[in-house]
Amino acid sequence: MNKTAPAGTIDMGLLVLRVWAGLLLFFQHGLGKVTHFSQMSAHFPNPIHIGPLPSLLYAILSDAVCSLLVVLGVATRYAALIVVINLATAFALVHQFKLSGPHGGELPLLFCGAFLTLVIAGAGRYSVDAGWRRQIGRAHV
């Protein structure tokens, strides 16, 4: 039996995923990096050996800027991909693939799955991206 989801439920699910994961990442991880930038810049983890400051700047791009872009649905796939790269790096190199125990990486792996879903599926109908596509479509008619 092939059942399809009622119209709009997948888009609503993508909206909930975007807003939920994006705001959680921003408030729990991004905002603190921005507000405590000067304290963190000298000793931030440097897993790929580019220096603490560039590592922190990339984490701010991911956890603060891109998380909010995802919430709004702006350049969603690209923003979510930046988040996925950051979180996969953290899970592999900072948490060393450990899910539980001291320094376990369950949370970055969970976020990684949520944002990877958005890389694959996109923002859905309820997003700035979709609004822009609708506007472009009208302009070509």
Side-chain angles (χ1 to χ4, degrees), residues 5 7-8 12 14-15 20 30 48 63 70-71 74 80 97 104 109-110 116 130 132 139-140:
M12 186 57 69
L14 290 170
L15 172 66
W20 194 292
I48 60 171
D63 299 355
V70 166
V71 168
V74 175
F97 299 101
L109 189 61
L110 183 62
L116 182 59
W132 286 341
H140 292 288

Side-chain angles (χ1 to χ4, degrees), residues 15-93:
L15 172 66
V16 169
L17 180 63
R18 282 191 359 254
V19 171
W20 194 292
L23 287 179
L24 188 60
L25 183 62
F26 175 76
F27 283 115
Q28 290 298 111
H29 300 278
L31 187 59
K33 289 176 177 76
V34 172
T35 58
H36 298 97
F37 178 81
S38 59
Q39 298 96 312
M40 298 179 91
S41 61
H43 62 82
F44 194 76
N46 182 23
I48 60 171
H49 309 291
I50 59 173
L53 182 58
S55 295
L56 176 58
L57 290 172
Y58 188 80
I60 288 172
L61 173 67
S62 165
D63 299 355
V65 176
C66 289
S67 66
L68 292 178
L69 290 174
V70 166
V71 168
L72 296 171
V74 175
T76 306
R77 284 189 162 116
Y78 297 111
L81 181 61
I82 290 170
V83 173
V84 167
I85 291 167
N86 184 47
L87 294 171
T89 301
F91 179 68
L93 301 179

